Amino acid sequence: MREDPNDPLISRGSSLMEAEVDGEMVALHVESGACYGFNATAYRIWQLSEEPVRLSDLCAALASQYQVDAVTCERDVRVLLTDLTRDGLVRLSQV
């Protein structure tokens, strides 16, 4: 079966130390020393991607939980994933 290039598999990197603070997440990238703050929605995305997950499955869960339309959800998640990928916190693949 051929994978859909528009539906990547999201996998987390392994070098992030994290803690929850008031429903949000603060994290330290061990290798780079960079600190991150995730708002509640970004933190939820991080939680849902604890195990590798397809973008479509992630967006379906978020759209249901936050009552947002699928197009808006995917657009906003892709923006976050671009930042997380650039910083080495997640990897997008077709496998």
Side-chain angles (χ1 to χ4, degrees):
M1 181 162 110
R2 186 170 169 216
E3 298 294 335
D4 181 352
N6 294 314
D7 191 20
L9 184 67
I10 303 159
S11 303
R12 283 192 199 176
S14 60
S15 58
L16 197 67
M17 294 176 55
E18 61 191 75
E20 181 180 346
V21 178
D22 295 327
E24 298 188 354
M25 184 180 93
V26 293
L28 172 68
H29 191 274
V30 176
E31 294 171 9
S32 70
C35 293
Y36 297 90
F38 287 31
N39 67 22
T41 305
Y43 184 35
R44 184 64 184 137
I45 291 167
W46 187 254
Q47 291 172 320
L48 290 169
S49 63
E50 183 174 3
E51 296 294 325
V53 61
R54 288 271 169 213
L55 175 62
S56 59
D57 295 331
L58 177 67
C59 288
L62 291 168
S64 173
Q65 181 175 354
Y66 291 100
Q67 299 178 349
V68 63
D69 68 273
V71 172
T72 300
C73 184
E74 183 175 333
R75 182 193 67 223
D76 292 350
V77 169
R78 283 184 182 275
V79 169
L80 177 64
L81 291 176
T82 297
D83 292 342
L84 296 177
T85 301
R86 180 194 66 233
D87 290 348
L89 302 180
V90 299
R91 186 180 79 240
L92 305 180
S93 64
Q94 295 305 314
V95 180

